[in-house]
Structures are given as structure tokens and as C-alpha cells.
Amino acid sequence: MSVDSDIVCGPIITIDGPAGSGKTTTAKELASRLSFRHLDSGALYRAITYALVKEGIPPERWISLVDTDLDNIGVNVSLEDAKIGICLNGEPLFSELRTTEVTECVPVVASLKVVREWLLGIQRKIGMLGNLVADGRDMGAVVFPEADLKIFLVADLEARARRRLLQNFVVSPSPEEIMTEAKIIKNRDFTDTAREFSPLRRPKDSFELDTTSLSFEEQVSLILSMAEDLTTI
Ligand code: CDP
């Protein structure tokens, strides 16, 4: 990926929040309606995790990773036809990024300073192109502190567990299934919030939106109305 200009060419909107708050689906829809690019930063952390697992590098060695290991790991980003693609050795990655193994391991990988710094450069290069909706945990606070609009999505734990289950095609979950999923999400929230580098935090200059009782359309429309002024810049 090469970006020549030093000037950001259009607005950047950041959407951060904890697991299951609806960041990625909201960001994707928003980007599509605004004809912006969508950066799913979680997918970048997932891609590195997937590559490490696929290479058979055991978790106890992840702590010793250095920059050149990441340069050689085969993960890269393509920016063809206005879409941001994530590839491993030139092959696009999709469902591989969402396996249980990757989901369980990704918070550990995302807590490594070397990984965060390596990905920071890639994310900022994408940001230079502007017209971007970026979602994750540290988009507004660390990666794009100068973003034009920052949103922080929250929702109560049960709502987030239900959404995650629905995403995995569990349409009518039992109370036990909801409890188990809520526990998994709570653990991930803890790891993401407690880590030393770029922990999950609400940026001070962000708008907090509680989506617990909002429909998807309502939350997208609300953010769209906040973004309206930006697109005329
Ligand atoms: O969609 P979900 O909230 O389940 O997760 P994701 O956005 O795909 O992110 C997966 C994991 O990557 C998170 O649990 C974080 O540990 C990490 N992550 C991060 O540390 N910083 C980001 N900007 C995005 C994701």
C-alpha cells in the first residue's frame, strides 16, 4: 500500500466501543451511505492473530515478536476499488478472521506494543486518504486524534450478548447461553480496558451513544445526522 500525499483529503469519523456494541456493522453501513471507506481495525488485529496461529507460532513466543517478524508475517492491506482489503500472502481474508480461536487469542495479540505500533503506521496511511469511517477501540483516542467526528458506542451487557449470539445465528438464546456469552464479552472488555498500551477508553471529545434500546436504523440515522455537516467540507 502506498500513499503519497501528506495531506488528509477528507473527513474521518471514528467509532469506538466495547465488544458487541455494534461498531463494525454501524461503521460499515455509515461508510456505505456516505460513500466513504470503512476501516475495521479489529480485522487487522485479527489478521495478525490468524497469521501467528497459522504459522504455528505458540502464544508464549508472541511476547518476543519484533518489527521484522511482523514485516515478514505476510499481512498486508489493499486499497483497490475504494475498499480496504486485508490479505495474508496476497490472499484476501474473510471468515478466517472470525473463528473462535482467533477471537479468543486476539486480545493478547492486541495488547502487544510492537503490534500496535506496527498497525498504527498502516492505519494512519489509510487515514491520509480521508473520507473514512474507522471503527475499533482506540480510533478516536490514539490513531486519529484529529478525527472530525468521534462516536463512542455503548450498550448493556445482556444486549451485547444477545447481538453476538444473533450474529452467530442463535436466534432465541436460552438464559444460560446469554449468561455464557455475557461472561466471554465481559472478559474481553476487561482485557481491552486493562491493557497497558492503547486501552479501550472513551475519547474525551467523543459523543457517547447508548444503543441498548435503539434499532440499527435509529443508531445509523443518528450518527448520519451528526456527520451531515462534515460531508459538505
Ligand atoms: O467486533 P468485536 O468487538 O468482537 O471485535 P473486533 O472489533 O473484531 O476486535 C477484536 C479485538 O481486537 C478486540 O477485542 C481488541 O482486543 C482488539 N482491537 C484493539 O485492540 N484495537 C482496535 N482498534 C480494534 C480491535
Side-chain angles (χ1 to χ4, degrees), residues 16-24 40-43 45-46 97-98 103 106-111 116 123 135-139 143 164 167 188-189 191-192 195 197-198:
D16 290 299
S21 59
K23 306 171 300 291
T24 304
D40 170 3
S41 64
Y45 290 93
R46 285 173 182 272
L97 301 182
R98 307 264 145 208
T103 301
V106 63
V108 179
V109 174
S111 69
R116 301 208 76 86
Q123 294 172 97
D135 81 80
R137 302 290 191 288
D138 60 345
M139 296 295 98
V143 182
R164 218 3 79 89
Q167 234 172 22
R188 198 134 69 88
D189 284 354
T191 319
D192 288 341
R195 70 176 174 229
F197 306 108
S198 290

Side-chain angles (χ1 to χ4, degrees), residues 4-233:
D4 298 327
S5 167
D6 263 2
I7 300 157
V8 177
C9 304
I12 296 180
I13 300 171
T14 59
I15 303 186
D16 290 299
S21 59
K23 306 171 300 291
T24 304
T25 38
T26 306
K28 194 172 174 191
E29 182 62 21
L30 202 64
S32 149
R33 295 204 200 171
L34 293 168
S35 300
F36 281 14
R37 287 195 177 91
H38 169 221
L39 170 63
D40 170 3
S41 64
L44 294 173
Y45 290 93
R46 285 173 182 272
I48 293 185
T49 308
Y50 175 69
L52 289 170
V53 170
K54 193 157 186 257
E55 279 293 308
I57 303 173
E60 58 274 19
R61 281 187 42 210
W62 296 350
I63 190 84
S64 324
L65 288 172
V66 292
D67 238 23
T68 43
D69 295 325
L70 297 172
D71 291 340
N72 295 328
I73 209 165
V75 171
N76 77 304
V77 169
S78 68
L79 281 175
E80 280 149 44
D81 64 22
K83 270 199 136 165
I84 299 170
I86 302 176
C87 304
L88 180 64
N89 301 320
E91 293 299 318
L93 294 173
F94 299 106
S95 57
E96 303 89 331
L97 301 182
R98 307 264 145 208
T99 61
T100 309
E101 188 176 21
V102 170
T103 301
E104 276 172 11
C105 295
V106 63
V108 179
V109 174
S111 69
L112 302 173
K113 188 171 184 232
V114 68
V115 170
R116 301 208 76 86
E117 285 179 351
W118 194 78
L119 283 178
L120 187 63
I122 292 181
Q123 294 172 97
R124 289 213 172 132
K125 271 190 185 168
I126 295 170
M128 297 306 291
L129 299 167
N131 290 353
L132 183 74
V133 184
D135 81 80
R137 302 290 191 288
D138 60 345
M139 296 295 98
V142 176
V143 182
F144 302 118
E146 307 298 329
D148 301 85
L149 173 65
K150 300 181 185 179
I151 307 290
F152 194 77
L153 289 187
V154 293
D156 74 27
L157 191 58
E158 184 183 329
R160 294 193 282 138
R162 282 181 185 279
R163 285 177 195 164
R164 218 3 79 89
L165 286 162
L166 193 61
Q167 234 172 22
N168 295 330
F169 309 104
V170 186
V171 182
S172 308
S174 65
E176 290 73 28
E177 283 174 313
I178 296 171
M179 221 161 73
T180 307
E181 191 61 37
K183 226 175 175 173
I184 295 170
I185 292 180
K186 209 173 165 186
N187 281 340
R188 198 134 69 88
D189 284 354
F190 177 76
T191 319
D192 288 341
T193 321
R195 70 176 174 229
E196 187 180 357
F197 306 108
S198 290
L200 168 66
R201 292 269 184 282
R202 173 166 109 71
K204 284 196 188 78
D205 50 351
S206 64
F207 294 96
E208 183 170 301
L209 195 59
D210 186 334
T211 66
T212 307
S213 35
L214 292 181
S215 69
F216 182 64
E217 184 52 40
E218 282 169 334
Q219 77 196 42
V220 171
S221 302
L222 264 170
I223 303 174
L224 258 185
S225 63
M226 292 189 230
E228 241 156 36
D229 291 342
L230 303 177
T231 54
T232 55
I233 288 172

